Amino acid sequence: MRSSTQAHAHHTAAQRRKSSHSGTFFLTALLVLLLIAVVLFVFHPTEKALPMPEQPRIVRLDAGWTDQLVQCGNDKAVKAFIDQTIAEIAATPFGINAISWDGKTPDGEALFIDDTKTLPHAAFLSDRFDAMDYLLHAAENAELTVYLERLLPNPEDEVITTLAEKHEMPLLSPNVLSNQTPGWESGEVQLLDASAGGERAALALQQGNTAAGVILGDWSVLRQNPSEAVLFNAFLDGTLDDPTQAWSGKELAQTLAVTYPQHDNAKLYDKNVFLMGTSNPDAPLTLNGEPVERFTQQGSWGILVPLEYGTNTFTLENGGEPLEFHIEKPKPDPNKKPAKPEPPQPDGTPGEEAIGKKVQITDAIASALTEPWKSSSIEDTLYQGAVAEVVGVTEYQSGNIMTHAYKLSTGGWVRAKTSTIVDLPDAAFTGATISEDEASRSTVLEFTGNGTPAVYHTWENNQLTLRLLSAQWSGTLPESERFNASIEQQDKDILLTLNFSDTDPLYGWAVNYEDGITRLYFKHKPVLADGAKPLTGLTIMLDPGHGEGDNGAVGSGGLSAPVEKDANLALALATRTRLEQLGATVVMTRTEDTFPTLGDRVTALNTQHPDLFISIHHNSIDLTRNVNSVNGTEAYWFYEEGTELARLLTENVTSAINAVRSEPHQDRGNSYGYYYVTRSNICPATLLEAAFMTNPADYELSINPDVIWSEAGGIARAVYQFLREAALPTAA
């Protein structure tokens, strides 16, 4: 029998063994739990959402994307589809840092676990699979915040609220997603769809305004056509200079004044006149005791008034001393005989003696006309230095002078004022060379020999036919990898026919004469660059109209405020920045208050060979009608290659202005116009009339820096869209 001491020792040992087994079990269990936690952490991260980015750039997982997800058919395929989407979004160069989704099928079934038991679970998913939860984890790994879209209010409000609280997700409210709320108001977070106003959104973000971010667009659309994201992302690059530097020192007054007519007691002969002026916008404005309706924010005004014979007195009041303004409408004198017109005087240009000699173009460009007295009867455009034989002469009256026009072998007429008579032999070419000009991205055909023959052209599809007048050919034309060419002598002219391929088609052509040498340039079609700077390598020429002593149209602010030449330059400077943000090289015909002549502008276009040319102007109209009802944007082209660019310009600039204008701004369309600066074959060329200087509301918009930036974005958008369509299908 063991003693009590032995029994106690035995009991103690047993307890130690039991305690040891319990400790081992506890440690084992703890290790297992830790292992499970590690596994869960690695393969199923925490549900706590990422913090909202300071400036969210959101892409929507829209109905088109959800349709594709539904087509996956099972949990595994859905996971793979979500993983692929997140990877693609993360790889874009658009700075996307957030996505949004409502988590429902088009039929309203939940693609998440609905803790409120309100929505049916999507039938193709297993009961406990939560696609929203999986999306959250995949997005978090890619450092993308997920916003929950609250598309509908009741009866699903509790569903959305519960889901947002469960995953700590920020909400997007319905007014943001429908873009119904103007400006930047949106509820929980301030956002604006980039496609509806990307220029404004980018400007607000750059200026540090209250905008918190932007919805770049729907992913199903964006992944196929990323243009909106490309533009918006580019417009955030760099700093923005103040475009109003174009009229430094000029201001729009907010005191009562009449600016048109420009002087008191002016003499006018019309039935009506559109009075214009400035005023204090915070005080009522009356004319002869009747209220004047203003459609502006800064006090500019305009009103159509009738004129009676004699002195017309107009009394204006605007919260201070009345202002009297007078217009004199002289009565016709029944006894006054019309002045006898002076007989036209000859201008001294050569007449019949020019027949058999050569005519050489002295202006930057000249028109070959079917009717010499009719400027619009243009048969073709000839360039400075071009030479052709005179086969006939006609005399005609232009204003108060008698002048001549010279008939060419083609039947066209060249006016004496654009040319000179020279005694030169025919051009004689013994061959040609072909090279590539990287600066203008053109194939250059340079003739061997002397002479600068005038060139007539026909361009249909990918065939260009050039007739070189009064020129002789005695050589062999070299072969080109770019085109098939044939050349033949036809009487006194050379006929050159070039056929370009569909893979490297003709984009534009030009003839340049220098030191008696004739060179033909054949431009390659533009190719957009890959990535965030798609216009890299392309050259755009901007031509701000008027300048220096040529004011252009005067607006309701008068001469002491910005006039058309100033508004043109401001818009061109802002457009240059927007295009450079897209990677383009921008050439300007002027950057200050200078005045390049029309010849200077055309010469720049015809020698620098840009990929696009846009002459920027602001419109005006005769001030004998109610100009308050005349607004809008229009554009002009001469060659059909410019029609699509003109259409895109009016469409995009109109949209840009409407984004900031309370009254609808009109798209007045595009039209043929034989403006000097649109007469180019080297590239599509247009003349843009952005808005009406003579409409007070348009005028105030045209000198508002925020609106100028919006318009500039619209022009850049039009250029990008045009070149995107013009680019080769094989472009990167």
Side-chain angles (χ1 to χ4, degrees):
M1 183 175 181
R2 291 178 294 179
S3 66
S4 60
T5 301
Q6 289 175 322
H8 176 73
H10 178 76
H11 176 72
T12 301
Q15 281 188 322
R16 288 175 180 164
R17 287 194 298 270
K18 183 177 179 181
S19 176
S20 175
H21 289 312
S22 298
T24 301
F25 175 79
F26 178 77
L27 286 172
T28 302
L30 182 61
L31 287 171
V32 170
L33 289 173
L34 286 172
L35 181 60
I36 292 172
V38 170
V39 171
L40 288 174
F41 180 81
V42 173
F43 295 101
H44 193 75
T46 176
E47 290 188 358
K48 183 175 178 60
L50 290 172
M52 285 194 300
E54 290 185 7
Q55 288 187 349
R57 297 189 195 180
I58 298 176
V59 62
R60 292 189 64 206
L61 301 182
D62 57 309
W65 180 85
T66 303
D67 278 341
Q68 290 180 283
L69 181 143
V70 170
Q71 298 302 315
C72 291
N74 58 61
D75 299 0
K76 182 178 180 180
V78 166
K79 291 178 181 178
F81 181 68
I82 289 174
D83 288 339
Q84 178 185 348
T85 297
I86 296 300
E88 290 178 353
I89 291 174
T92 64
F94 311 132
I96 296 172
N97 54 23
I99 56 180
S100 71
W101 189 36
D102 69 343
K104 290 177 291 193
T105 69
D107 296 329
E109 296 177 328
L111 293 164
F112 52 87
I113 303 301
D114 179 14
D115 294 338
T116 69
K117 311 297 183 185
T118 302
L119 299 177
H121 196 66
F124 72 95
L125 297 178
S126 60
D127 291 342
R128 300 308 300 168
F129 179 66
D130 190 323
M132 179 66 80
D133 184 60
Y134 190 85
L135 174 71
L136 280 164
H137 297 314
E140 183 179 3
N141 288 335
E143 298 185 351
L144 297 171
T145 297
V146 180
Y147 286 78
L148 183 59
E149 297 180 2
R150 178 158 53 192
L151 295 179
L152 298 172
N154 294 324
E156 297 184 8
D157 199 44
E158 183 184 357
V159 177
I160 298 300
T161 302
T162 302
L163 185 60
E165 290 176 351
K166 176 181 178 180
H167 295 295
E168 300 183 27
M169 300 172 68
L171 288 170
L172 289 184
S173 57
N175 59 347
V176 180
L177 298 168
S178 63
N179 197 35
Q180 292 175 346
T181 305
W184 295 95
E185 302 172 11
S186 66
E188 288 85 355
V189 65
Q190 297 176 344
L191 298 158
L192 184 66
D193 184 353
S195 62
E199 299 86 6
R200 295 282 295 162
L203 181 63
L205 287 174
Q206 279 205 315
Q207 292 177 336
N209 291 353
T210 56
V214 67
I215 298 175
L216 290 175
D218 294 342
W219 179 242
S220 65
V221 176
L222 191 63
R223 68 190 302 267
Q224 299 295 327
N225 179 11
S227 60
E228 293 301 335
V230 168
L231 290 166
F232 177 78
N233 201 57
F235 289 169
L236 290 177
D237 183 38
T239 58
L240 303 181
D241 294 328
D242 182 2
T244 64
Q245 64 183 312
W247 59 75
S248 178
K250 293 183 178 181
E251 293 184 0
L252 175 61
Q254 293 189 331
T255 54
L256 184 60
V258 176
T259 58
Y260 183 81
Q262 292 179 8
H263 306 289
D264 194 16
N265 296 308
K267 288 185 178 181
L268 298 178
Y269 299 86
D270 299 300
K271 181 179 179 181
N272 303 303
V273 63
F274 188 71
L275 285 180
M276 289 195 304
T278 60
S279 67
N280 178 355
D282 298 323
L285 174 65
T286 61
L287 174 64
N288 295 340
E290 296 295 325
V292 175
E293 185 177 9
R294 288 170 291 188
F295 304 92
T296 59
Q297 300 296 318
Q298 299 181 59
S300 295
W301 58 271
I303 184 171
L304 186 70
V305 296
L307 292 179
E308 305 292 340
Y309 288 120
T311 300
N312 294 260
T313 301
F314 303 96
T315 303
L316 293 145
E317 292 192 54
N318 182 224
E321 291 294 322
L323 170 68
E324 277 198 359
F325 192 83
H326 310 87
I327 297 177
E328 187 74 21
K329 183 177 179 180
K331 292 181 179 179
D333 183 354
N335 299 316
K336 184 178 181 180
K337 295 181 180 180
K340 187 176 181 180
E342 294 289 333
Q345 299 298 311
D347 65 355
T349 54
E352 295 292 329
E353 65 271 26
I355 296 176
K357 296 182 180 179
K358 300 291 197 308
V359 60
Q360 185 169 38
I361 304 303
T362 53
D363 282 9
I365 58 171
S367 300
L369 302 167
T370 58
E371 301 173 76
W373 51 86
K374 188 175 180 181
S375 298
S376 62
S377 64
I378 301 170
E379 186 175 74
D380 214 327
T381 299
L382 306 180
Y383 297 90
Q384 188 173 42
V387 174
E389 184 178 356
V390 178
V391 299
V393 175
T394 189
E395 187 178 42
Y396 70 100
Q397 184 174 341
S398 176
N400 201 37
I401 65 168
M402 293 300 297
T403 187
H404 295 93
Y406 307 117
K407 190 175 184 179
L408 310 181
S409 60
T410 59
W413 296 86
V414 172
R415 288 175 172 173
K417 70 175 183 178
T418 65
S419 59
T420 188
I421 299 301
V422 293
D423 192 3
L424 291 173
D426 288 352
F429 300 134
T430 58
T433 60
I434 295 177
S435 61
E436 290 293 321
D437 179 53
E438 294 184 3
S440 65
R441 295 186 307 101
S442 301
T443 303
V444 183
L445 191 154
E446 180 178 319
F447 287 99
T448 304
N450 295 315
T452 57
V455 179
Y456 266 62
H457 87 285
T458 303
W459 183 4
E460 294 183 3
N461 298 319
N462 273 338
Q463 185 178 83
L464 178 67
T465 302
L466 303 177
R467 180 175 292 277
L468 284 66
L469 307 185
S470 303
Q472 301 298 312
W473 176 257
S474 61
T476 301
L477 195 66
E479 292 186 1
S480 169
E481 295 181 356
R482 179 153 183 226
F483 49 73
N484 293 319
S486 64
I487 191 167
E488 58 180 303
Q489 189 74 46
Q490 289 193 347
D491 194 14
K492 292 187 176 183
D493 302 337
I494 296 172
L495 189 67
L496 175 64
T497 303
L498 303 103
N499 291 285
F500 294 81
S501 67
D502 291 334
T503 57
D504 190 4
L506 180 64
Y507 180 71
W509 76 277
V511 55
N512 285 164
Y513 308 111
E514 186 177 1
D515 298 328
I517 303 298
T518 298
R519 295 182 182 89
L520 297 172
Y521 290 77
F522 308 110
K523 278 185 74 74
H524 296 276
K525 217 169 185 182
V527 177
L528 296 187
D530 194 13
K533 303 287 185 182
L535 302 188
T536 299
L538 303 182
T539 300
I540 315 298
M541 182 173 284
L542 299 178
D543 171 41
H546 306 285
E548 205 168 34
D550 179 5
N551 287 324
V554 179
S556 52
L559 290 171
S560 61
V563 293
E564 186 194 350
K565 66 173 183 178
D566 305 314
N568 295 344
L569 181 56
L571 181 52
L573 291 171
T575 301
R576 178 178 67 179
T577 296
R578 288 299 189 216
L579 290 170
E580 288 176 344
Q581 287 173 318
L582 289 168
T585 298
V586 180
V587 179
M588 304 271 287
T589 59
R590 69 180 179 99
T591 58
E592 298 176 342
D593 186 19
T594 55
F595 181 69
T597 66
L598 288 175
D600 294 335
R601 299 170 201 251
V602 171
T603 298
L605 169 59
N606 291 334
T607 56
Q608 297 191 50
H609 301 166
D611 296 292
L612 287 179
F613 175 91
I614 303 172
S615 188
I616 294 177
H617 287 252
H618 286 74
N619 223 333
S620 64
I621 196 169
D622 186 26
L623 294 173
T624 59
R625 56 183 291 189
N626 183 11
V627 184
N628 285 320
S629 61
V630 181
N631 73 52
T633 300
E634 58 192 35
Y636 295 90
W637 46 269
F638 179 78
Y639 289 111
E640 289 187 0
E641 290 76 28
T643 56
E644 181 63 8
L645 175 61
R647 184 190 70 80
L648 288 169
L649 282 169
T650 62
E651 178 183 291
N652 282 283
V653 172
T654 299
S655 296
I657 294 176
N658 275 325
V660 296
R661 181 182 180 138
S662 56
E663 296 294 324
H665 189 78
Q666 299 176 25
D667 182 345
R668 298 170 63 90
N670 63 87
S671 306
Y672 167 85
Y674 53 97
Y675 292 101
Y676 217 63
V677 291
T678 60
R679 302 271 300 275
S680 172
N681 283 301
I682 195 63
C683 68
T686 62
L687 185 147
L688 173 70
E689 300 277 9
F692 279 82
M693 295 292 287
T694 45
N695 177 310
D698 266 20
Y699 173 74
E700 283 196 3
L701 289 172
S702 298
I703 62 173
N704 181 312
D706 283 1
V707 180
I708 291 170
W709 280 115
S710 192
E711 291 176 300
I715 296 173
R717 179 185 296 267
V719 167
Y720 172 59
Q721 289 175 349
F722 177 83
L723 291 173
R724 187 184 65 207
E725 295 301 318
L728 291 171
T730 54

